[in-house]
Amino acid sequence: MITGTRTGIGKALAEHFLEAGHDVVGCSRRPAAIDHPRYRHHQVDLADLGQSRRMFRSVRQEYGRLDALVNNAGTSSMNHFMTTPDEVTRKIFDINFFAVLNCCREAVKLLRKTSEPSSAILNVSTVAVPWALEGQLAYSASKGAVEQLVRVMSKELAAFGIRVNGIGLPPVHTVLTRTVPRPKIDELIERQAISRQCTMADIVGPVEFLIGRQSGFITGETIFLGGVH
Ligand SMILES: NC(=O)c1ccc[n+]([C@@H]2O[C@H](COP(=O)([O-])OP(=O)(O)OC[C@H]3O[C@@H](n4cnc5c(N)ncnc54)[C@H](OP(=O)(O)O)[C@@H]3O)[C@@H](O)[C@H]2O)c1
């Protein structure tokens, strides 16, 4: 299961795992952008706990289990904290943190039923956390909370055979970053050890590793791509 599959990174991941032969459940507020016999789309606002629960109930009825959950859906807003209203910050936390927390809580019941040696939760984070980027207080704080969720949940879920990790991304060309001025993106890319823009192809391999059998002894880590220190 991958959240936020209508566009960007979530869509690329869903298409990759479908091509690899998996069943993929995805979701977004707007209708599906993927048409595939092994793809099931749920049109839900993850910030609404009731809608999220209904989606997981339907996944349980259809599949009875989950092997992995990728919490990819997210939002951002760039602004100086002095001019960011609390309601904007709360909205960002509702989607980037509380929706992730709720999806984890609902998914655990299904992840415990996997036939794999272990099941996995993977959360998407950002360079805005380690680099404490200006103008991204609400966004980076919400993702910083997600990285802490990874650490704590990895301990609380280990006994159930569920691993919890994160993947930290530098700038990727998607809807989320389309309004960020190019010089700003280039400045961030220059800070990466591998100073070129991260692509979908750079992301799918590490995601596959982190939710797959090969990372069966890795939990509680958020791994950053591109050399971000
Ligand atoms: N792009 C980057 O440079 C970058 C860098 C670091 C981290 N990330 C992270 O990567 C993840 C994916 O971002 P992206 O760049 O691929 O952005 P994107 O293209 O804007 O995709 C976000 C996806 O999430 C869905 N979504 C948003 N809010 C939702 C909600 N309340 N309920 C359900 N679905 C929702 C959107 O579909 P609907 O609009 O239809 O709901 C869309 O499919 C995010 O967590 C982001 O923080 C991105």
Side-chain angles (χ1 to χ4, degrees):
M1 179 167 186
I2 302 166
T3 65
T5 44
R6 189 180 60 81
T7 55
I9 296 159
K11 181 166 185 267
L13 289 174
E15 286 170 342
H16 170 80
F17 287 106
L18 285 165
E19 207 165 298
H22 297 278
D23 291 330
V24 177
V25 179
C27 66
S28 61
R29 288 163 301 179
R30 279 170 274 185
I34 299 171
D35 180 16
H36 190 286
R38 276 182 282 99
Y39 178 72
R40 194 70 75 249
H41 193 84
H42 293 266
Q43 203 175 326
V44 290
D45 182 349
L46 291 172
D48 182 323
L49 182 57
Q51 290 186 33
S52 181
R53 278 196 182 134
R54 276 195 291 281
M55 171 176 72
F56 278 96
R57 205 173 304 136
S58 155
V59 172
R60 191 188 63 215
Q61 279 160 3
E62 184 167 9
Y63 300 97
R65 68 165 214 275
L66 281 174
D67 299 327
L69 166 69
V70 181
N71 285 309
N72 161 79
T75 189
S76 75
S77 158
M78 281 188 70
N79 223 334
H80 196 286
F81 86 93
M82 291 291 284
T83 53
T84 305
D86 280 357
E87 65 204 51
V88 171
T89 303
R90 286 204 179 89
K91 201 167 170 222
I92 290 175
F93 267 78
D94 276 346
I95 298 164
N96 290 0
F97 180 71
F98 285 104
V100 170
L101 184 60
N102 288 326
C103 282
C104 290
R105 202 181 279 125
E106 292 299 316
V108 161
K109 301 163 202 167
L110 298 173
L111 288 164
R112 290 180 69 173
K113 299 201 167 119
T114 186
S115 52
E116 293 290 309
S118 70
S119 53
I121 294 173
L122 184 68
N123 300 310
V124 182
S125 191
T126 162
V127 292
V129 177
W131 286 350
L133 295 179
E134 292 163 52
Q136 301 198 22
L137 196 156
Y139 178 58
S140 64
S142 69
K143 293 290 190 175
V146 167
E147 290 187 27
Q148 185 67 352
L149 173 157
V150 165
R151 287 189 283 267
V152 175
M153 232 182 238
S154 66
K155 294 178 184 169
E156 296 188 350
L157 293 181
F160 302 107
I162 302 171
R163 300 179 299 105
V164 187
N165 289 297
I167 184 160
L169 302 179
V172 187
H173 186 66
T174 67
V175 176
L176 200 74
T177 49
R178 76 186 186 285
T179 55
V180 183
R182 191 66 224 181
K184 185 78 202 157
I185 301 270
D186 290 340
E187 201 184 295
L188 296 176
I189 292 170
E190 277 306 306
R191 287 180 69 174
Q192 297 164 207
I194 304 174
S195 53
R196 66 162 174 79
Q197 183 146 24
C198 179
T199 65
M200 299 303 175
D202 295 319
I203 300 170
V204 289
V207 168
E208 191 155 27
F209 169 72
L210 285 168
I211 64 173
R213 287 183 183 191
Q214 284 183 315
S215 63
F217 203 52
I218 299 177
T219 195
E221 301 291 339
T222 295
I223 294 175
F224 279 83
L225 303 189
V228 170
H229 293 288

